[in-house]
Each structure stands twice: as structure tokens, then as C-alpha cells.
């Protein structure tokens, strides 16, 4: 019989990641912690990157894009305060790791990626985990995804110069939007809540994300 270590060589690293990088900071939602400990992040990166998959920093995923540091994935997820019944929109599928975390905590996840090659490989990564409640779309996510709106939560994993109006529109009343907003190399992670009185903004912490390119994102360099 194979030992656990042989079956899942990264299980220990993942446990250590949750203890030292996530719990030790300010993420305490037990559902988020459990999922971060379970989802095999190393399967979402290239073989050369695997030894680094559980380290406290972002990793390249090809096409000049990056997968966020584990703590940032956990923090952004916890800001949505998911209970299990929600419909979520993610903008910037990348390798599909954040979508996998969301799909374990919500009922349905729509995720949009503008680079078709990344969307395709995310599809393969997610299929290997048998996650069936994720819908991957290729397109300009700065416009949201009106076809499946309204959403209980929208999570943007690329930096925007301002909050795209479409995203606020596509939120339910009571819904939350998590988005890095600011300059090209420095943003603030913001949490927006749509209420019956209007929208409320809370600033969370300074971050650096790759740019959201598109009609309501950065329109320059491609
Ligand atoms: N959440 C991802 C990381 C995303 S990196 C993960 O877990 O791996 C940001 C991603 O946003 C990149 O893949 C980039 O191509 C994508 N992106 C940038 N602008 C976009 C847009 N307008 N619509 C959809 N995706 C976009």
C-alpha cells in the first residue's frame, strides 16, 4: 500500500502554507482555510514551478501572467464571505486555481479569461479535479458576464484603473465585489458592497496585480 506521502507529496507543504501564511495573518474563515489546505495548487503550475507552489509569493503561469500568492487568494475569497449557495463571477481565470477555490465554497462559478490558451489549460486543470460547477468563458471580463448576472459576488484578479460600472450593475443587492484598483504597479484591494441605499467601499490593503486589459480596464499596451 502507498503511504500518504507518496500519494500526495505536497500535503505537508500545503498544511504549512495555511498555518504560516494564511492563519497567521488575518484569514480565519474555517471553510476557506480547509479548502486552501485541500486544493492541490501545484497541479495548476508548470512542472518546474511545482516545488515553489506553496511558497509565499506569486508564480508565473505563462503569457506574462501570474497566479497570486496563496495568502492573497485566501484573503480575496474570505472577503466574499461565502456560505455555499452563491453564484460567483471571477474575472481573470489564469490557470484556474482561484476558480477551484471558489467552486469549493459556492454553488456556481463563472470565470472569464481573455487569453484563450490560458482558458483552455485552466479547463484541463479544473477537469482533472472533477469540478463541475465552473463555467469558463473567453472574452473581455472588464465588461463582466451579463449572460449569467446577477451575481452574489464578483472577484477580479487583475488590476483596474477604476471600478468598471458593469460589474456593479451585475451584482445582486447585498452582493460583494473584490477588486484591485489603482495605478499600473500599485493598487489597493477594495471591497465594494451593493446595498439598497447604494454602494459602499472598504479599502483592504496595498497589492500589485497584472493589468485588467479591455474596454473598462487598461486599453493601452497589449
Ligand atoms: N485568478 C488567476 C490569476 C489571474 S492573473 C489564477 O488563479 O490563476 C490575471 C488574469 O487576468 C490573466 O490571466 C489575464 O490574462 C486575465 N485578464 C486580464 N484582463 C482581462 C480581461 N479584460 N478579461 C478577462 N481576463 C483578463
Amino acid at each position: 500500500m502507498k503511504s500518504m506521502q507518496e500519494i500526495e507529496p505536497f500535503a505537508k507543504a500545503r498544511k504549512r502554507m495555511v498555518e504560516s501564511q494564511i492563519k497567521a495573518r488575518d484569514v480565519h474563515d474555517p471553510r476557506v482555510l480547509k479548502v486552501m489546505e485541500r486544493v492541490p495548487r501545484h497541479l495548476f503550475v508548470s512542472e518546474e514551478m511545482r516545488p515553489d507552489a506553496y511558497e509565499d509569493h506569486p508564480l508565473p503561469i505563462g503569457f506574462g501572467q501570474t497566479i497570486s500568492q496563496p495568502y492573497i487568494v485566501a484573503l480575496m475569497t474570505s472577503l466574499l464571505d461565502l456560505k455555499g449557495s452563491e453564484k460567483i463571477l471571477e474575472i481573470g481565470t489564469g490557470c484556474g486555481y482561484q476558480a477551484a477555490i471558489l467552486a469549493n465554497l459556492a454553488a456556481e462559478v463563472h470565470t472569464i479569461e481573455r487569453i484563450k490558451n490560458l482558458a483552455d489549460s485552466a479547463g484541463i486543470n479544473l477537469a482533472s479535479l472533477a469540478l463541475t460547477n465552473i463555467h469558463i468563458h473567453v472574452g473581455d471580463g472588464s465588461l463582466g458576464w451579463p449572460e449569467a448576472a446577477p451575481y452574489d459576488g464578483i472577484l477580479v484578479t487583475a488590476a483596474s484603473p477604476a471600478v468598471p460600472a458593469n460589474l456593479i450593475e451585475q451584482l445582486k443587492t447585498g452582493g460583494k465585489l473584490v477588486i484591485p484598483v489603482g495605478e499600473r504597479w500599485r493598487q489597493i484591494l477594495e471591497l465594494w458592497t451593493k446595498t439598497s441605499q447604494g454602494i459602499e467601499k472598504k479599502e483592504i490593503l496595498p497589492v500589485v496585480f497584472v493589468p485588467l486589459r479591455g474596454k473598462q480596464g487598461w486599453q493601452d499596451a497589449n
Side-chain angles (χ1 to χ4, degrees):
M1 210 170 90
K2 285 190 175 176
S3 70
M4 269 312 278
Q5 198 60 24
E6 279 174 278
I7 297 166
E8 231 294 40
F10 290 99
K12 260 196 186 153
R14 210 157 43 236
K15 205 174 169 77
R16 207 162 43 229
M17 167 191 88
V18 169
E19 291 296 327
S20 66
Q21 300 170 33
I22 301 174
K23 249 195 222 173
R25 292 183 178 133
D26 48 1
V27 177
H28 303 295
D29 181 334
R31 293 180 75 235
V32 174
L33 297 175
K34 194 168 155 204
V35 167
M36 294 295 297
E37 196 172 316
R38 249 183 27 215
V39 174
R41 180 172 159 100
H42 62 280
L43 297 183
F44 289 83
V45 298
S46 65
E47 217 150 343
E48 315 84 82
M49 292 295 154
R50 282 188 186 164
D52 268 9
Y54 299 100
E55 298 300 316
D56 196 14
H57 53 72
L59 288 174
I61 55 172
F63 302 91
Q65 308 304 319
T66 52
I67 175 177
S68 298
Q69 170 191 8
Y71 165 64
I72 295 293
V73 173
L75 175 67
M76 290 176 86
T77 306
S78 72
L79 291 171
L80 291 177
D81 197 19
L82 300 172
K83 305 292 182 221
S85 60
E86 297 85 354
K87 177 161 62 172
I88 303 298
L89 174 66
E90 179 199 22
I91 295 159
T93 314
C95 66
Y97 175 68
Q98 172 77 71
I101 298 291
L102 293 170
N104 275 282
L105 294 167
E108 189 183 348
V109 176
H110 287 263
T111 179
I112 318 178
E113 173 54 56
R114 63 183 280 279
I115 301 174
K116 188 173 182 309
N117 278 311
L118 280 176
D120 289 346
S121 56
I124 294 168
N125 294 338
L126 294 168
S128 75
L129 297 185
L131 288 166
T132 54
N133 57 342
I134 305 181
H135 311 275
I136 304 177
H137 310 286
V138 177
D140 179 4
S142 75
L143 303 174
W145 186 257
E147 287 86 337
Y151 303 98
D152 299 286
I154 301 180
L155 201 157
V156 185
T157 64
S160 188
V163 174
N166 297 38
L167 302 188
I168 298 284
E169 261 163 48
Q170 290 171 32
L171 272 185
K172 285 183 194 169
T173 301
K176 294 179 195 307
L177 166 67
V178 177
I179 180 169
V181 179
E183 296 158 26
R184 200 52 183 274
W185 297 106
R186 187 179 180 282
Q187 307 96 32
I188 301 290
L189 186 63
E190 297 180 353
L191 168 65
W192 290 77
T193 307
K194 189 170 180 176
T195 71
S196 47
Q197 275 85 46
I199 45 173
E200 286 166 10
K201 178 180 93 166
K202 189 172 170 200
E203 297 193 345
I204 307 297
L205 87 170
V207 285
V208 183
F209 276 75
V210 295
L212 178 77
R213 302 187 196 277
K215 283 222 174 81
Q216 290 204 33
W218 298 93
Q219 292 179 20
D220 54 349
N222 249 293

